[in-house]
Amino acid sequence: GENVEQHPSTLSVQEGDSAVIKCTYSDSASNYFPWYKQELGKGPQLIIDIRSNVGEKKDQRIAVTLNKTAKHFSLHITETQPEDSAVYFCAASTGNYGQNFVFGPGTRLSVLP
Amino acid sequence: GAVVSQHPSRVICKSGTSVKIECRSLDFQATTMFWYRQFPKQSLMLMATSNEGSKATYEQGVEKDKFLINHASLTLSTLTVTSAHPEDSSFYICSAKSDGGYTFGSGTRLTVV
């Protein structure tokens, strides 16, 4: 089955700096890769996603890149703000949005003011 | 956007009792909903896939007689933790598939004392 790894497990950056979180997946059939932000005591919120037919997608300060050959994808957050502090999960799935998907172990991002 | 409502947000119950958690899709119909369990500082682990009008599909290692799932309508799935024990204490999260992808509920913190 699919296995998703995520690094780093924790990340601290200064406000205004950029943050990068990287994920790798094992199943070459995976074709949908969402990123979720989870704040303490809340459910995950989708922040950006990318399909396998696209190499990069950007939404304001957030961008995701995908390298299907290497089977890895990354989340890039620019001009970080304290409210970006949360746990971020990547995921990989197959099919059109997938019946279910496998989450990475998560990255705890702390943005220091 | 799609909204998934989950109740209760927190519940404390005595060991041996049962607890029901509800997951509702508010503005869309969800033939498929998913139930996850999340331990502190860990990722989300899929417990089961809930299908409207049919039996749920449980992941390996999840006791179907302990975690009863009912998906009686296109907007409601329930998870009942039967004969709860302290080791069942966890954060339970549901999600539903909409046109825009997967939307998660806000989660339920279950504490069994």
Side-chain angles (χ1 to χ4, degrees), chain A residues 9 13 15 24 38 44 47 52 57 61 66 93 96 101 110-111:
Chain A
S9 57
V13 299
E15 182 177 358
T24 60
Q38 186 178 28
I47 56 172
S52 59
K57 184 176 178 181
R61 296 188 296 110
L66 171 65
S93 73
N96 186 21
F101 36 77
S110 299
V111 179

Side-chain angles (χ1 to χ4, degrees), chain A residues 10-79:
Chain A
T10 60
L11 177 62
S12 293
V13 299
Q14 289 296 134
E15 182 177 358
D17 288 349
S18 296
V20 180
I21 303 171
K22 300 181 179 181
C23 286
T24 60
Y25 61 98
S26 60
D27 189 350
S28 58
S30 290
N31 57 9
Y32 175 61
F33 308 92
W35 284 89
Y36 288 87
K37 175 184 180 181
Q38 186 178 28
E39 298 177 339
L40 189 63
K42 298 183 179 180
Q45 296 290 314
L46 178 69
I47 56 172
I48 197 167
D49 56 9
I50 192 168
R51 293 181 173 283
S52 59
N53 59 347
V54 177
E56 184 175 357
K57 184 176 178 181
K58 188 174 182 180
D59 183 4
Q60 299 182 342
R61 296 188 296 110
I62 296 173
V64 56
T65 59
L66 171 65
N67 184 326
K68 281 218 72 177
T69 302
K71 288 191 278 189
H72 66 71
F73 56 112
S74 300
L75 176 71
H76 304 253
I77 305 174
T78 60
E79 301 174 28

Side-chain angles (χ1 to χ4, degrees), chain B residues 6-109:
Chain B
Q6 187 174 341
H7 292 281
S9 58
R10 291 176 178 269
V11 59
I12 300 173
C13 70
K14 291 184 177 180
S15 186
T17 61
S18 297
V19 173
K20 180 184 285 187
I21 303 170
E22 293 189 347
C23 181
R24 294 180 184 273
S25 56
L26 296 187
D27 49 2
F28 65 101
Q29 294 183 332
T31 56
T32 304
M33 292 185 177
F34 305 92
W35 288 96
Y36 293 84
R37 184 173 182 176
Q38 186 178 33
F39 289 106
K41 297 186 178 181
Q42 293 190 22
S43 190
L44 289 79
M45 298 300 296
L46 180 67
M47 298 175 63
T49 302
S50 170
N51 303 295
E52 187 270 335
S54 64
K55 292 183 178 180
T57 303
Y58 291 82
E59 295 299 302
Q60 189 173 8
V62 178
E63 300 177 60
K64 62 180 181 180
D65 294 331
K66 180 168 187 62
F67 299 99
L68 300 179
I69 292 174
N70 184 285
H71 195 155
S73 77
L74 288 171
T75 59
L76 173 64
S77 176
T78 62
L79 168 68
T80 301
V81 182
T82 63
S83 186
H85 292 286
E87 56 265 30
D88 298 323
S89 299
S90 189
F91 193 54
Y92 294 87
I93 309 171
C94 68
S95 76
K97 181 181 175 182
S98 66
D99 291 341
Y102 287 84
T103 301
F104 285 81
S106 55
T108 297
R109 171 75 58 194

Side-chain angles (χ1 to χ4, degrees), chain A residues 15 37 39 61 80-86 88 109 111:
Chain A
E15 182 177 358
K37 175 184 180 181
E39 298 177 339
R61 296 188 296 110
T80 54
Q81 301 167 3
E83 50 264 38
D84 294 329
S85 297
Y88 291 81
L109 173 65
V111 179

